[in-house]
Amino acid sequence: DIQMTQSPSTLSASVGDRVAITCRASQGIVNWLAWYQQKPGKAPKLLIYKASSLESGVPSRFSGSGYGTEFTLTISSLQPDDFATYYCQQYNSYSSFGQGTKLEIK
Amino acid sequence: QITLKESGPTLVKPTQTLTLTCTFSGFSLSTSGVGVGWIRQPPGKALEWLALIYWDDEKRYSPSLKSRLAITKDTSKNQVVLTMTNTDPVDTATYYCAHTRADIVVVNAFSPWGQGTLVTVSS
């Protein structure tokens, strides 16, 4: 099984900040990685697929990068709507998710 | 517009079989490349991929749960059914179904997702 480890688990930031969330895979996954945003009581929403491809309709302040075992989700300028929990998902070998990163208001 | 909605029991007793139905619209599971997957999330915990079925009836299961899961589709009804046998309290979770598209990998990213349905396993 491929284990996905996200860091940090919690991130405190302010509107307008640039933030980055990291996801590390226990073995290489090429670029088969997705990022999701989840708000309380709601289903996850796909933001990024294939590590760096922006899903249609997702604001351009979201970007993804990485290859192999280390990946990053960057939000260039935080907006009030961005405070949520973010998950990475690998789909190189079946699929597994990271434990989540809660982005909270500082 | 693609929409999906999960339905099924809210409470099941341990050792019983859980049957969940995903009813969708906006796409057809007879269209090449289309798939529907199931993902669950225990309260306050992370997401876990369970199973996936493609337009050509190819099925994929989480290796850790494979022996307990079965996924089927009814193309005429636009439904996908997930069955989980021998349930346990640790199976208490919100269960989501989601749309996906085939790629060269076995599983792909999911979008969009249904609203989810909370299933509690308790005696």
Side-chain angles (χ1 to χ4, degrees):
Chain A
D1 289 7
I2 297 178
Q3 309 301 319
M4 305 301 292
T5 303
Q6 290 183 230
S7 60
S9 296
T10 305
L11 178 57
S12 298
S14 302
V15 172
D17 284 354
R18 179 184 180 90
V19 298
I21 300 169
T22 298
C23 182
R24 289 187 175 87
S26 59
Q27 58 187 270
I29 59 170
V30 193
N31 66 341
W32 300 113
L33 184 109
W35 289 98
Y36 297 87
Q37 176 193 68
Q38 186 178 34
K39 296 182 179 179
K42 300 295 186 182
K45 173 188 173 183
L46 178 65
L47 302 173
I48 303 284
Y49 61 96
K50 286 186 184 178
S52 60
S53 295
L54 192 68
E55 174 74 347
S56 176
V58 174
S60 59
R61 63 180 180 273
F62 291 92
S63 64
S65 63
Y67 189 90
T69 61
E70 187 155 338
F71 301 85
T72 302
L73 172 70
T74 302
I75 309 173
S76 60
S77 178
L78 273 175
Q79 298 302 301
D81 191 49
D82 299 339
F83 292 96
T85 300
Y86 293 84
Y87 291 95
C88 61
Q89 174 210 7
Q90 72 80 17
Y91 46 99
N92 178 70
S93 174
Y94 293 100
S95 184
S96 51
F97 290 83
Q99 83 279 14
T101 294
K102 184 177 181 180
L103 178 55
E104 59 182 28
I105 301 173
K106 184 185 287 186
Chain B
Q1 179 192 5
I2 292 175
T3 64
L4 307 97
K5 187 173 184 179
E6 307 84 354
S7 59
T10 57
L11 179 66
V12 296
K13 296 184 187 308
T15 75
Q16 286 186 339
T17 293
L18 170 64
T19 299
L20 295 169
T21 300
C22 176
T23 303
F24 55 85
S25 63
F27 67 95
S28 171
L29 251 182
S30 61
T31 300
S32 178
V34 174
V36 172
W38 284 93
I39 307 98
R40 70 179 179 180
Q41 185 173 38
K45 296 188 178 181
L47 300 159
E48 180 183 20
W49 172 70
L50 301 177
L52 170 57
I53 189 165
Y54 284 113
W55 84 101
D56 58 358
D57 212 38
E58 279 294 310
K59 301 166 187 177
R60 297 289 182 258
Y61 297 101
S62 166
S64 62
L65 292 167
K66 184 176 182 178
S67 64
R68 299 174 51 210
L69 297 175
I71 189 169
T72 59
K73 62 182 175 70
D74 186 329
T75 304
S76 65
K77 292 183 178 179
N78 281 351
Q79 291 182 333
V80 170
V81 174
L82 180 73
T83 300
M84 177 183 288
T85 61
N86 193 27
T87 55
D88 181 271
V90 299
D91 296 315
T92 294
T94 295
Y95 287 76
Y96 297 99
C97 62
H99 168 273
T100 189
R101 296 201 61 84
D103 205 319
I104 61 172
V105 285
V106 167
V107 181
N108 206 342
F110 296 102
S111 180
W113 297 45
Q115 64 188 27
T117 186
L118 176 61
V119 178
T120 301
V121 181
S122 174
S123 55

